[in-house]
Amino acid sequence: MNTLDAIRTRKSVRKFQDAPIPAECITRILQAGMEAPSTKNSQPWKYYVLQGAAKYKLSKLMQEGLNSFGDAESIKQLPFYGSVIGTIRTIETAPAVILVFNTGIHTLNSPGSLESRFMDCGAMQTMGATIQNMLLAATEQGLGSLWMCDVYFAYEQICGWLGESAQLAAGIALGYPANEIAKPQRHDLNKHTIFMED
């Protein structure tokens, strides 16, 4: 599979087969993540690979994080309630979850000099690059994946559990897809692009 085919065929998978992922596949995915460009070659990524009991601990922390937003009725009124519940179910069915941390930023709102703010912006973009590399590497190996930002609902719980002071960037669920799903249609290129010559 070439790069453009991987980009075109990658889609968000939320249900997985009950089949383990070979260790060498996960290693290749992590190595692909580390091949991403990074601001000033800082390589500010850190990965936690969760399987087995550790993965179920994550799903429990996600529920605890959601519960911290209020009582049962008020939680259900949250705009992303359904999405978070779906993410919890995805975590439970995925054979593996990778948590991606940004060691270049240690808080959600990092104060500092102009230089440090530029580095923070670059580090955030680096996280997108490393995650996308891993998603494409998973696709190339026949695996499904889901880029999960709902982990922010349990941000403090997850960082506390891991004793991690770096910024939690996202989670990636990995596994063999349980069913065939259609990729959402993309907008026309011209709707999002301005071509300039002078």
Side-chain angles (χ1 to χ4, degrees):
M1 179 181 291
N2 67 38
T3 304
L4 290 177
D5 285 340
I7 291 169
R8 279 192 292 264
T9 58
R10 197 217 73 79
K11 49 199 164 194
S12 296
V13 175
R14 292 173 172 84
K15 293 182 181 177
F16 300 96
Q17 298 176 34
D18 184 17
I21 303 170
E24 58 270 22
C25 286
I26 294 176
T27 298
R28 282 195 288 269
I29 289 167
L30 295 169
Q31 288 173 334
M34 293 186 66
E35 292 297 329
S38 64
T39 185
K40 309 299 183 191
N41 196 31
S42 56
Q43 303 183 47
W45 40 65
K46 184 175 184 180
Y47 314 116
Y48 286 83
V49 180
L50 308 182
Q51 296 172 290
K55 185 179 60 79
Y56 287 103
K57 174 68 173 179
L58 175 62
S59 71
K60 182 179 176 186
L61 290 175
M62 286 289 296
Q63 188 64 59
E64 288 176 12
L66 187 57
N67 292 345
S68 71
F69 283 85
D71 59 60
E73 281 309 307
S74 60
I75 290 170
K76 289 180 181 175
Q77 304 309 312
L78 290 171
F80 299 109
Y81 173 79
S83 175
V84 178
I85 292 298
T87 295
I88 292 170
R89 292 183 184 134
T90 296
I91 289 169
E92 291 173 347
T93 65
V97 172
I98 300 173
L99 292 176
V100 182
F101 281 83
N102 181 355
T103 63
I105 302 177
H106 296 275
T107 68
L108 283 174
N109 298 300
S110 180
S113 66
L114 182 61
E115 180 184 0
S116 70
R117 291 199 302 275
F118 283 161
M119 289 298 291
D120 286 354
C121 289
M124 286 187 286
Q125 293 175 49
T126 295
M127 292 302 105
T130 190
I131 292 166
Q132 180 72 346
N133 273 18
M134 288 192 280
L135 299 180
L136 294 176
T139 300
E140 191 271 335
Q141 295 181 94
L143 291 166
S145 61
L146 182 66
W147 185 335
M148 302 181 297
C149 290
D150 282 339
V151 291
Y152 288 135
F153 280 85
Y155 190 98
E156 292 181 4
Q157 290 83 358
I158 294 169
C159 291
W161 169 48
L162 298 173
E164 187 59 69
S165 64
Q167 183 190 70
L168 174 60
I172 303 171
L174 294 170
Y176 296 99
N179 50 19
E180 188 62 36
I181 58 171
K183 183 172 181 174
Q185 187 66 36
R186 291 298 188 250
H187 296 163
D188 183 88
L189 174 66
N190 292 316
K191 184 177 179 180
H192 296 273
T193 310
I194 300 170
F195 292 94
M196 300 178 67
E197 292 187 7
D198 348 89

